[in-house]
Amino acid sequence: MGAPSSRAVALGAAFLLLLVALPSAFLYLTSSAAPAASRAALLNLKPFSARCPPAAAPPLRVFMYDLPPRFHVAMMAANGPNATAGLFPAWPPSAGGIRRQHSVEYWMMASLQDGGGGGGAGSGRREAVRVRDPDTAEAFFVPFFSSLSFDVHGRNMTDPDTEADRLLQVELMEILWKSKYWQRSAGRDHVIPMHHPNAFRFLRNMVNASILIVADFGRYTKELASLRKDVVAPYVHVVGSFVDDDAPDPFEARHTLLFFRGRTVRKDEGKIRAKLAKILKGKDGVRFENSFATGDGFKISTEGMRSSKFCLHPAGDTPASCRLFDAIVSHCVPVIVSSRIELPFEDEIDYSEFSLFFSVEEALRPDYLLNQLRQISKKKWVEMWLKLKNVSHHYEFQYPPRKGDAVNMIWRQVRHKIPAVNLAIHRNRRLKIPDWWG
C-alpha cells in the first residue's frame, strides 16, 4: 500500500487531540463549571442502604412451653382467684418488695398471652409473639418463675421448704430433656428467666447453654453466664413513676444534693455501703438513711428521690440493685459506684448521658464524690434530667406491654442473641470432633 494521504493524517491527528482533551474537559465541567451545590450533593451522597433503611423486622416468633400452673401462676394463688381459674392473673399490688423487683419472669410470660399486644394508643408493635407450632419458633420460652419459687419456698436457703424449689427444678429438667426441641439445640435457643441472684440455684449448670435473663453476673460463673449469650434485664422498680415531673425549674425544685436510703450492711462488694455511710452521713446536702424494704419505706424513698438531684447507687450483695431503676423513673441522676455492674440494653442506651460513674477508690476518697457533684453545672444537670425523662419508659413493666417498654426491650435483646445461637446449633450438627474453639 502507498503512503497515507495528507487528509488521512490530518484526521488521525484530530482524533488523537480529541482523546487527550476529553478528560480535561470532563474534569473542568465537574470541578469548575458544575454548581457548588451539585458537587456537595455528590460528595454527601450516602449508599442506597443508608438512604433507604430496611423495614422493621417482624416480631420474634416464640413458642412457650405449656407447663402446669405450679411452675408459675399457682405460686401467686394466694394473691388472686384468677391464678388457677384459667385466666392469667394480674400482678397483685400487695406483692411488693423482693417479689416485685424480680418479677421479670411474670411480665415476660404475660407478654406472650393471647391478646397481650395491647391495642390502645401508644401500644405499638410487639417485639415477640407467641406461636403454637414449635416448628415455626425462633426461640422457646420456659415459663418457670424461678425467682418467685426461691422467694416462696424457703427464702433463707436453710429452711426445709427449699426442697420444694429443688423438686420443681428437677421436674422441669425432666420435661425439657424429653423435648425434641431442647435436644436438637441442647437448650441454646431456650429462654429461661433467672433474675434473682439465687434463682434456679440447684440445677443451674444444666441450663448453662440457654439464654438466661439475669439482673447481673454477680453470682454466676463465666461458664454459666456471659454477655455473649445472656440478657441483662432491669429490676422492676418499686417506687412510683414520676409522671408529672414538670416543675418550671427542676434543678432548684430538688433541694437535696445526694440521696441514699437502704440497707448498709451487705456482703461482698456491698460492704462499700457502710464505708460510704461513714464518709457521707451528716454532710451538707446529703440524705443518707439506713432502712429496710417496707411499704412506708418505699413512700419515703419515692419522696426522697423526687426531691434530690442525684441518687447514690452503690453495689449491694451483687453489683446491681433495684435502687438504680427507682432513680431512673424518679428522674434522679444515678451516681453509680459498682465496679462489676452490667446494665440493661446498653447496646441501645448510653448510660453516661444520664448517669455518673465512680470507682470504689474515688468514692471512698474523702470529699471527692461530693466535690465532683457540686461542680456539675445546672445546664449539664438539666440535660441529664431531660434524658432521664426520655428513657424512663424503657424501664416500665406493664400488661399489655407498650412500644419500647421493658418487656419489649428484653425481647429485642433476645432477638439479638439468636444469630449466634443459630451459628452454634448449625456448627454443632456438622462437627465430627469436640468443638476445637472450646
Side-chain angles (χ1 to χ4, degrees), residues 82-163:
N82 287 338
T84 56
L87 300 176
F88 194 75
W91 181 261
S94 60
I98 294 295
R99 292 188 182 187
R100 178 171 175 80
Q101 291 177 25
H102 296 292
S103 61
V104 173
E105 55 207 11
Y106 166 85
W107 300 104
M108 292 186 73
M109 184 178 183
S111 72
L112 296 177
Q113 300 303 306
D114 293 333
S123 60
R125 69 183 297 273
R126 301 169 67 178
E127 294 293 340
V129 292
R130 183 180 184 179
V131 294
R132 301 289 179 173
D133 181 358
D135 288 319
T136 65
E138 299 169 276
F140 295 78
F141 181 66
V142 181
F144 172 42
F145 288 3
S146 59
S147 295
L148 186 57
S149 180
F150 169 77
D151 192 81
V152 168
H153 300 127
R155 182 174 152 193
N156 66 10
M157 299 178 68
T158 59
D159 194 308
D161 288 347
T162 58
E163 179 66 5

Side-chain angles (χ1 to χ4, degrees), residues 142-402:
V142 181
F144 172 42
F145 288 3
S146 59
S147 295
L148 186 57
S149 180
F150 169 77
D151 192 81
V152 168
H153 300 127
R155 182 174 152 193
N156 66 10
M157 299 178 68
T158 59
D159 194 308
D161 288 347
T162 58
E163 179 66 5
D165 184 25
R166 189 189 72 83
L167 290 176
L168 279 174
Q169 294 173 40
V170 170
E171 186 178 358
L172 175 64
M173 293 312 304
E174 290 175 351
I175 293 171
L176 293 176
W177 286 333
K178 292 176 182 177
S179 166
K180 72 175 184 179
Y181 301 100
W182 176 276
Q183 294 172 10
R184 75 180 185 183
S185 70
R188 291 184 178 90
D189 52 5
H190 283 52
V191 180
I192 303 178
M194 208 178 290
H195 199 261
H196 191 287
N198 294 321
F200 221 109
R201 66 190 181 97
F202 293 104
L203 300 179
R204 283 181 175 179
N205 62 320
M206 296 183 179
V207 295
N208 60 357
S210 299
I211 302 172
L212 307 181
I213 311 298
V214 301
D216 56 41
F217 299 102
R219 292 187 183 168
Y220 297 93
T221 64
K222 293 181 180 180
E223 292 75 25
L224 175 64
S226 68
L227 281 174
R228 175 185 57 82
K229 73 175 186 68
D230 301 317
V231 173
V232 177
Y235 283 69
V236 181
H237 61 84
V238 296
V239 305
S241 301
F242 200 175
V243 295
D244 55 349
D245 185 10
D246 299 312
D249 190 338
F251 185 82
E252 298 300 335
R254 294 174 178 249
H255 305 295
T256 301
L257 176 67
L258 180 64
F259 178 81
F260 172 86
R261 181 178 173 83
R263 296 174 64 182
T264 56
V265 179
R266 309 304 289 172
K267 296 176 289 186
D268 302 325
E269 288 186 51
K271 293 177 181 178
I272 189 178
R273 293 190 182 185
K275 297 177 181 178
L276 287 171
K278 293 179 180 179
I279 294 174
L280 297 172
K281 268 189 176 181
K283 295 287 187 178
D284 185 42
V286 176
R287 279 183 63 184
F288 198 107
E289 302 168 357
N290 187 30
S291 72
F292 293 88
T294 64
D296 289 339
F298 296 145
K299 292 178 182 178
I300 296 172
S301 292
T302 299
E303 177 275 327
M305 288 185 170
R306 293 183 181 186
S307 60
S308 301
K309 295 178 177 69
F310 300 97
C311 286
L312 183 63
H313 172 74
D317 290 344
T318 58
S321 79
C322 187
R323 184 171 294 99
L324 170 61
F325 307 100
D326 288 343
I328 289 174
V329 300
S330 301
H331 311 149
C332 181
V333 175
V335 176
I336 299 174
V337 184
S338 183
S339 302
R340 299 175 58 212
I341 194 171
E342 294 297 342
L343 299 166
F345 324 137
E346 204 166 5
D347 59 340
E348 300 186 56
I349 295 176
D350 182 357
Y351 284 78
S352 67
E353 294 180 349
F354 55 83
S355 305
L356 299 172
F357 295 85
F358 293 87
S359 69
V360 171
E361 291 74 17
E362 289 171 332
L364 294 180
R365 195 181 305 165
D367 297 325
Y368 177 81
L369 190 150
L370 290 180
N371 288 338
Q372 292 297 309
L373 298 185
R374 292 189 178 108
Q375 290 175 22
I376 302 293
S377 68
K378 178 177 179 178
K379 179 177 180 293
K380 175 63 175 176
W381 184 89
V382 171
E383 289 175 355
M384 301 177 86
W385 172 78
L386 287 171
K387 187 67 176 181
L388 280 167
K389 293 183 69 174
N390 288 334
V391 302
S392 60
H393 68 284
H394 293 312
Y395 304 92
E396 298 291 350
F397 288 85
Q398 55 211 332
Y399 178 75
R402 301 175 73 85

